Amino acid sequence: MFGYSLIYRLILMISLLVLTSFQSNAQLRKRAFPNHSSILQNEDVNTKVLNYVGLKNEELNHKGTALKFAHQFTVNYTPENSGKWYTLDDGTKVWKLIISSPGAYSINLIFDRFVLPDGASLLIYNIDESDIIGAFTSENNKPSGVLATVPVSGDEIVVEYTEPKKVDFKGELMIGAVNHDYLGIFKYNDLKTGLFGDSDYCEEDISCYDTENNLDIRRSVVGLINNGNLYCTGTLINNTNEDGTPYIITAAHCLDGTDPGNSNMVVALLDYEVPHCGEIIDGSKSQTISGGSTKVYAEELDIALIQMLEEPLAEYRPYFAGWTLETLPSVPFKCIHHPQGDVKKISTSETDLISATCIATYPYAQQSSFHWKVSEWNLGTTEGGSSGSALFDANNRLVGTLTGGEGTCGWPRNDYYTQFYKGWDFNSLDTCHYSLWLDPTNTGVQSLDGFDPYEDSPFIRLSNVETDELPDKDNSAGLGYISGHNSYEINEYAEKFGGFNSARLHGIYLMAGECQWGSDQTIDVVVWEGATYPETEVFREENILLGSIRENQESYIEFSSPVSVNGNFFVGYEIDYSVTPIDSFAVYHSLEGSASKINNTMMVNYNSSWEFATDVFAGGMKSLWIDVLADLVVEETTQVSAPSTPEIDIFPNPLVNTSYAKLDTKGLKVEQYSIINTSGKIVQKSIITDNTSSAINIDFSQLPDGIYVVDVDFGTAHSYKKMIKVTQ
């Protein structure tokens, strides 16, 4: 999977970074659970009840408009006028507010004022605690003071704010809008087999089209929730600095109803897709970034570009799509989108694009001959919610964004996308063209490939469930679930991951097939090391509430700290039979899908001995459906031999009150250098055109004070230097 060069570079980077403690400013939310202190009683809280009287208005949603899925109530809820304060024994203060909107599929909030001190946190969850978002902290504070949230399932939610006894200032909170989801945007309560939203029958899951995860552009596509009640699709897009600036390109009509000058109320949902080609498991909705600033907005062209104020975490595995100014893009074409707010789908066309004028509703897309017409889709179509999605050419470069059209499953024809090359500099106003933002140094580049900001420290999703397998939750001969509660009272389950020298684990995706609960029962997630069976416990994440794990939806459980493992490792869970009533919990496991299955990796602790599940329960080879999110992965078969490392010098170091350093190459030719921050992200890259010089200027002027690693690429080898920039 990896060559020696990348592995060696990662090892060197880590050895430099572990010498310095730091906190990444990209961390957006910290995993947390509601406070169960006995004094925090929901019955004591004065619930705010909002009554929506209306009908589902799906008939009002059509192509060329953002998908409206919620009714917005304008409110003014603050800790001073709503809810109830509690004081815990240690002086910690907790504010709780319950909001009810009967009949809502989900509820989301917009905070017109959100300013938290360090140490404070905010959670939002439904009454049964089956859906929890947060904790939001001071790291989510923004210059605008606005925070928009993703929907929480159900028609009654709890807002819980916790503030330590001693803080620098009192937190400021004001809920300005409550959004009642009447459409069921994520189908929380009415999951349909195979279609987790309402997309039409011909739509193709991206996980079925790209079974080997080779299509990088799928990671650039995001769902966009604007103003808490509008849904569209957007795309993370690269710029010529290749610095990971979180630009999202979409359609102007997707920002309808908000001030075009800002996108404070935009939430981007990353990586929402089914984890396996099948009709069982819905994707996770936990990967979000919130709040932005609109850089491009032109109604008559229907183009928009948003710069998000939060950067996607490395764990989100973001990708910034490339683009081209080609006037005759090459077939075939692909569109990856979220029709009806569903998981990612893909539509493809094998016909040439036609320059055309879009037939759209005023005021959007009024410019003549500004659009590409896709005359026919060979796979899939587009729907409401697909608006703003990108059209990619044969080289996987963006050539336009969706305005609307006539396409349906029954008539997959005549959809209209803006012509990206015309939007590049069609209008001279800075806010009405792309070039100023996507080519900030005016390089004149005509085409740009995609960019992975974490390519030097990639996160990988490890799974033993193969693409041709059909996961099951087998209830074996009436004895109970072979991967959960059963009459054998097996309480420990593990999945083996072999063939690795080392890795660092950050969390797991757990695919629960059964999760019926009525108590406060929890599970523990456990990591072991061992050659053939779990021998040594190296980590335990305790007390994961069953209520926080959703049935038939992947649940991401983030570890409280990264876990380093060496050699074979096992990840699993321990369940409890002592709590009454005994809940019913089981994780999906794979059944043999073909004769080529090689993974027999599911183990159970049976009669105080670890055994393969296939030896305890009759049947073929099995794998537990637990995926691991890891980085610094070194495969066992990889021979790690360090290349010769050229001696270099960079001075001055540290950089004190200066932004420029000199690289002494000792006479060697340098191809390029990269500057990497403490999150492992490349924040600056420069190709050396005059590689005969022995002294090269390294520019830190655009970077804030902090600790960096300079990666000097000699073509056949790399050298690294830790650099510190300080302003006194």
Side-chain angles (χ1 to χ4, degrees):
M1 185 181 296
F2 300 102
Y4 75 86
S5 176
L6 175 58
I7 296 166
Y8 187 63
R9 291 163 67 189
L10 292 175
I11 293 170
L12 284 173
M13 283 177 57
I14 295 303
S15 67
L16 289 170
L17 295 178
V18 294
L19 298 176
T20 309
S21 62
F22 62 87
Q23 182 177 10
S24 168
N25 62 6
Q27 180 64 51
L28 306 183
R29 289 196 298 245
K30 292 179 171 59
R31 179 171 162 267
F33 296 106
N35 191 315
H36 289 150
S37 173
S38 59
I39 72 169
L40 301 177
Q41 300 297 319
N42 287 344
E43 292 78 8
D44 297 337
V45 181
N46 182 20
T47 301
K48 295 291 186 180
V49 179
L50 301 168
N51 291 302
Y52 169 64
V53 180
L55 300 174
K56 289 186 179 182
N57 69 345
E58 290 114 315
E59 69 275 6
L60 300 181
N61 287 306
H62 54 83
K63 299 278 226 24
T65 64
L67 177 67
K68 188 168 184 179
F69 68 93
H71 173 78
Q72 185 169 99
F73 293 97
T74 300
V75 299
N76 180 21
Y77 298 154
T78 71
E80 288 70 39
N81 64 26
S82 305
K84 183 173 181 179
W85 279 102
Y86 303 84
T87 301
L88 306 184
D89 292 341
D90 63 357
T92 298
K93 293 182 178 180
V94 179
W95 175 63
K96 292 185 73 172
L97 171 65
I98 298 176
I99 300 173
S100 174
S101 189
Y105 284 96
S106 68
I107 296 173
N108 71 81
L109 305 177
I110 295 175
F111 288 83
D112 287 349
R113 190 65 178 163
F114 181 93
V115 183
L116 301 192
D118 290 344
S121 62
L122 180 123
L123 285 174
I124 305 173
Y125 52 92
N126 53 10
I127 289 296
D128 63 12
E129 299 181 13
S130 62
D131 194 11
I132 304 170
I133 62 172
F136 300 92
T137 69
S138 60
E139 295 174 12
N140 297 95
N141 292 345
K142 299 179 179 65
S144 65
V146 174
L147 178 73
T149 73
V150 292
V152 173
S153 64
D155 61 2
E156 194 169 31
I157 64 170
V158 180
V159 180
E160 180 180 304
Y161 171 64
T162 302
E163 187 173 280
K165 182 178 181 180
K166 295 182 179 180
V167 289
D168 294 336
F169 59 88
K170 184 179 178 181
E172 301 176 35
L173 292 172
M174 184 180 77
I175 300 172
V178 176
N179 294 289
H180 170 116
D181 173 11
Y182 51 70
L183 197 59
I185 187 66
F186 292 139
K187 280 292 175 288
Y188 287 105
N189 300 336
D190 186 23
L191 199 64
K192 299 198 305 182
T193 301
L195 296 173
F196 299 105
D198 265 340
S199 62
D200 213 345
Y201 66 91
C202 67
E203 304 285 16
E204 175 86 349
D205 285 344
I206 188 64
S207 301
C208 297
Y209 180 89
D210 180 35
T211 58
E212 300 300 322
N213 283 296
N214 293 324
L215 192 60
D216 288 333
I217 52 173
R218 68 189 280 184
R219 296 188 282 129
S220 69
V221 177
V222 302
L224 287 181
I225 298 175
N226 179 37
N227 199 32
N229 60 3
L230 302 175
Y231 198 98
C232 276
T233 302
T235 306
L236 289 164
I237 188 167
N238 195 13
N239 73 88
T240 55
N241 283 346
E242 297 203 308
D243 55 6
T245 300
Y247 289 128
I248 292 178
I249 190 171
T250 188
H253 73 259
C254 291
L255 301 183
D256 183 40
T258 62
D259 177 0
N262 69 69
S263 305
N264 293 326
M265 293 176 287
V266 167
V267 178
L269 176 63
L270 285 75
D271 205 31
Y272 178 43
E273 56 189 57
V274 293
H276 185 279
C277 181
E279 300 180 345
I280 298 176
I281 296 290
D282 192 8
S284 170
K285 308 171 186 72
S286 63
Q287 299 182 358
T288 62
I289 53 178
S290 175
S293 174
T294 306
K295 300 303 181 185
V296 173
Y297 182 86
E299 289 185 345
E300 71 280 4
L301 307 180
D302 199 26
I303 62 174
L305 185 72
I306 304 166
Q307 181 178 348
M308 300 301 290
L309 300 179
E310 296 175 341
E311 295 183 349
L313 299 176
E315 292 91 327
Y316 294 2
R317 299 179 297 161
Y319 185 80
F320 293 79
W323 43 262
T324 182
L325 302 180
E326 289 285 339
T327 58
L328 294 173
S330 53
V331 295
F333 298 100
K334 295 180 284 291
C335 172
I336 305 174
H337 53 117
H338 288 283
Q340 299 296 323
D342 207 343
V343 293
K344 282 182 195 172
K345 306 289 183 176
I346 186 168
S347 304
T348 63
S349 174
E350 297 177 6
T351 59
D352 289 329
L353 300 178
I354 300 171
S355 183
T357 299
C358 180
I359 303 172
T361 305
Y362 180 83
Y364 301 104
Q366 296 301 300
Q367 183 63 44
S368 299
S369 300
F370 191 79
H371 282 71
W372 295 120
K373 182 170 77 171
V374 176
S375 56
E376 183 175 5
W377 293 109
N378 298 92
L379 174 68
T381 186
T382 63
E383 306 178 52
S386 304
S387 284
S389 57
L391 187 67
F392 297 99
D393 68 3
N395 298 308
N396 294 327
R397 292 170 177 157
L398 183 146
V399 298
T401 52
L402 179 65
T403 289
E406 302 173 5
T408 64
C409 283
W411 178 263
R413 295 175 174 84
N414 301 342
D415 276 341
Y416 295 87
Y417 290 78
T418 61
Q419 296 180 1
F420 179 77
Y421 81 91
K422 287 186 178 178
W424 186 253
D425 55 8
F426 184 86
N427 191 311
S428 61
L429 292 176
D430 289 349
T431 56
C432 294
H433 67 262
Y434 299 128
S435 61
L436 177 65
W437 314 101
L438 301 184
D439 188 14
T441 57
N442 196 27
T443 65
V445 166
Q446 297 298 293
S447 294
L448 185 67
D449 288 334
F451 173 65
D452 184 343
Y454 301 104
E455 63 182 349
D456 276 0
S457 54
F459 276 72
I460 301 166
R461 184 163 171 166
L462 306 174
S463 180
N464 290 325
V465 176
E466 300 170 22
T467 57
D468 61 347
E469 294 173 349
L470 298 176
D472 193 21
K473 53 177 182 178
D474 182 28
N475 190 329
S476 181
L479 299 175
Y481 294 101
I482 70 173
S483 57
H485 289 94
N486 54 55
S487 60
Y488 292 143
E489 295 197 356
I490 295 173
N491 70 332
E492 285 189 298
Y493 298 84
E495 177 67 5
K496 178 180 179 180
F497 291 87
F500 300 100
N501 272 335
S502 60
R504 185 171 63 176
L505 317 183
H506 291 261
I508 65 168
Y509 290 92
L510 193 69
M511 316 299 170
E514 184 75 15
C515 194
Q516 302 297 323
W517 51 277
S519 66
D520 289 332
Q521 186 168 339
T522 64
I523 65 170
D524 290 355
V525 173
V526 189
V527 179
W528 301 267
E529 290 181 341
T532 57
Y533 60 90
E535 297 177 33
T536 305
E537 181 179 316
V538 296
F539 178 79
R540 180 178 289 260
E541 190 75 38
E542 298 182 313
N543 301 323
I544 308 298
L545 281 169
L546 285 191
S548 68
I549 299 173
R550 295 191 65 83
E551 186 176 297
N552 295 323
Q553 178 179 326
E554 63 177 1
S555 297
Y556 179 62
I557 299 174
E558 181 184 3
F559 293 163
S560 54
S561 60
V563 182
S564 295
V565 291
N566 295 286
N568 293 345
F569 65 92
F570 300 77
V571 178
Y573 48 93
E574 182 176 326
I575 61 177
D576 192 359
Y577 289 85
S578 64
V579 178
T580 56
I582 294 177
D583 298 325
S584 179
F585 174 76
V587 172
Y588 276 111
H589 59 85
S590 66
L591 295 180
E592 186 170 348
S594 72
S596 63
K597 178 173 172 61
I598 60 174
N599 294 319
N600 187 37
T601 45
M602 176 181 172
M603 303 194 75
V604 298
N605 195 339
Y606 179 63
N607 288 337
S608 301
S609 175
W610 282 102
E611 307 284 349
F612 284 101
T614 190
D615 295 331
V616 177
F617 301 95
M621 296 187 293
K622 296 178 174 62
S623 300
L624 267 177
W625 200 355
I626 300 177
D627 292 355
V628 177
L629 187 64
D631 69 346
L632 305 182
V633 177
V634 180
E635 290 188 338
E636 186 177 42
T637 55
T638 303
Q639 299 299 315
V640 182
S641 57
S644 59
T645 304
E647 290 294 331
I648 61 171
D649 191 19
I650 303 178
F651 58 91
N653 188 13
L655 296 172
V656 181
N657 297 326
T658 184
S659 297
Y660 296 90
K662 288 282 189 182
L663 165 63
D664 183 357
T665 68
K666 309 296 185 182
L668 298 175
K669 293 183 178 180
V670 174
E671 290 192 357
Q672 64 181 12
Y673 72 81
S674 302
I675 301 177
I676 303 166
N677 67 13
T678 51
S679 299
K681 176 183 174 182
I682 297 175
V683 293
Q684 187 170 304
K685 181 183 290 187
S686 180
I687 298 174
I688 307 302
T689 55
D690 180 13
N691 56 18
T692 61
S693 174
S694 62
I696 297 172
N697 285 323
I698 299 182
D699 182 5
F700 285 82
S701 62
Q702 301 302 312
L703 301 176
D705 288 357
I707 301 168
Y708 301 93
V709 172
V710 179
D711 171 5
V712 182
D713 183 358
F714 293 91
T716 58
H718 289 255
S719 286
Y720 301 86
K721 287 290 183 181
K722 183 174 73 173
M723 298 290 295
I724 300 173
K725 181 183 177 185
V726 179
T727 302
Q728 294 182 343

